[in-house]
Amino acid sequence: MQQERKNILQGSVTGVSLGPGDPKLITVKGLELLKKADKVYYPGSRFQDGRRDSFSLPILQQYRLDPAKLIGFYLKMSLDREEAIKLYKATSEQIKEDFAQGLHIVVVSEGDASTYSSFSYLLLYLRAAGISVDVVPGITSYALAAACQKAPLCLQNEKMLLLPRVQCEEELLQCLRHHDTVVLMKIRSVLPIIIAVLETNQLSFFYGERLGTEKAFTCSDLSVLKERKVPYFSLMIIKKAPLEKTKPEPIGKSTIVPQ
């Protein structure tokens, strides 16, 4: 009887990748876990004016989950990591309490849970506490960008590099010398550096923002990009060798995945 009760109280924690924005771009396994979960933790952003926003929440709402089991943890938009660490510790403590009560917990992440994800920080604290955590992988934003562009990220022996928040023109040029494709992430604050390199070199690029959502926007025209106010959820793919010029088709939330 005691062993039976122990099994009943055995909780679980799983990191589930939501994909880059389109609610349909989630794995079958991930969606099944969301529906079975007792609680679902999702990340969000907290701004200086008090506003809160979450890229994950609208995706979750499409799955018609019980709103009562959705719990947000909102990170202050700042490069100062001290407050972020406090939030991750506090959230991991909440999850530990839920786990001890035998609840099945899911922590979601935009894109892939192992790629620049808040979940990865929570994972460190949970593993340190001796909690076994499973992870369900997902589609990255740059995989969706390549699909929108209808062009390969790399072929045969070509090399690809994932580069976040490039620091200077020389760093980007050096990366392009040694890689056929460079995927730039976290570009909002460093866009002038990227534009300067694009202006002075013969390079093919594909820019995308809020991919997989109704607000998705793409372009390969530098003059358009220079006038664009770039949001946080944006990225760029740069090819060292110019690609055949094709005009990207307009995209929306239902044009990426066939019905």
Side-chain angles (χ1 to χ4, degrees):
M1 186 67 179
Q2 185 176 2
Q3 181 65 34
E4 183 180 347
R5 178 161 179 78
K6 181 179 179 181
N7 291 335
I8 292 174
L9 292 176
Q10 184 63 50
S12 66
V13 180
T14 308
V16 170
S17 305
L18 293 179
D22 186 336
K24 295 179 182 178
L25 294 182
I26 187 175
T27 62
V28 173
K29 182 176 182 178
L31 184 55
E32 288 178 347
L33 286 166
L34 282 174
K35 292 180 177 180
K36 295 177 181 178
D38 296 305
K39 288 189 178 182
V40 177
Y41 285 80
Y42 65 89
S45 301
R46 180 165 53 86
F47 301 91
Q48 291 184 350
D49 60 5
R51 289 184 302 113
R52 291 188 174 192
D53 190 26
S54 172
F55 191 84
S56 297
L57 183 56
I59 301 174
L60 291 171
Q61 290 170 337
Q62 293 294 315
Y63 304 136
R64 299 181 181 179
L65 305 174
D66 180 1
K69 73 179 186 180
L70 303 181
I71 303 170
F73 57 99
Y74 290 83
L75 182 68
K76 183 179 179 180
M77 297 302 290
S78 170
L79 294 178
D80 181 5
R81 299 301 296 170
E82 184 176 348
E83 188 168 339
I85 291 172
K86 290 180 180 179
L87 176 65
Y88 293 137
K89 285 183 176 179
T91 304
S92 65
E93 288 298 323
Q94 285 184 274
I95 295 172
K96 285 162 58 178
E97 291 178 10
D98 294 336
F99 176 80
Q101 294 176 22
L103 301 181
H104 297 291
I105 310 303
V106 164
V107 184
V108 299
S109 171
E110 304 99 350
D112 174 65
S114 302
T115 308
Y116 301 123
S117 169
S118 296
F119 166 75
S120 295
Y121 297 99
L122 295 175
L123 177 62
L124 292 175
Y125 292 113
L126 294 171
R127 290 180 64 181
I131 296 176
S132 176
V133 182
D134 292 323
V135 183
V136 179
I139 297 173
T140 61
S141 57
Y142 58 88
L144 177 55
C148 295
Q149 188 184 15
K150 298 180 177 61
L153 283 169
C154 40
L155 293 170
Q156 296 183 339
N157 296 327
E158 291 180 348
K159 298 177 182 178
M160 186 183 81
L161 175 70
L162 194 61
L163 180 61
R165 200 176 288 115
V166 59
Q167 296 300 303
C168 63
E169 293 178 36
E170 181 54 36
E171 180 186 17
L172 179 52
L173 289 169
Q174 185 71 12
C175 291
L176 287 164
R177 291 187 190 106
H178 297 285
H179 300 84
D180 303 279
T181 301
V182 175
V183 177
L184 297 172
M185 309 284 288
K186 305 181 181 181
I187 66 174
R188 181 173 60 175
S189 62
V190 297
L191 190 60
I193 295 173
I194 300 168
I195 289 177
V197 171
L198 293 174
E199 283 184 319
T200 55
N201 297 269
Q202 294 296 319
L203 298 166
S204 173
F205 79 91
F206 181 85
Y207 167 80
E209 65 184 51
R210 298 188 176 98
L211 297 179
T213 74
E214 293 180 346
K215 296 181 179 180
F217 173 83
T218 66
C219 82
S220 297
D221 186 330
L222 189 56
S223 63
V224 174
L225 181 62
K226 289 169 70 173
E227 301 299 322
R228 191 79 183 171
K229 185 176 180 181
V230 174
Y232 177 79
F233 289 101
S234 58
L235 78 161
M236 185 182 295
I237 299 173
I238 299 180
K239 303 290 291 188
K240 183 165 61 178
L243 294 172
E244 179 184 355
K245 291 187 179 294
T246 57
K247 185 177 181 181
E249 298 176 9
I251 63 172
K253 67 175 183 178
S254 61
T255 58
I256 303 304
V257 181
Q259 299 297 314

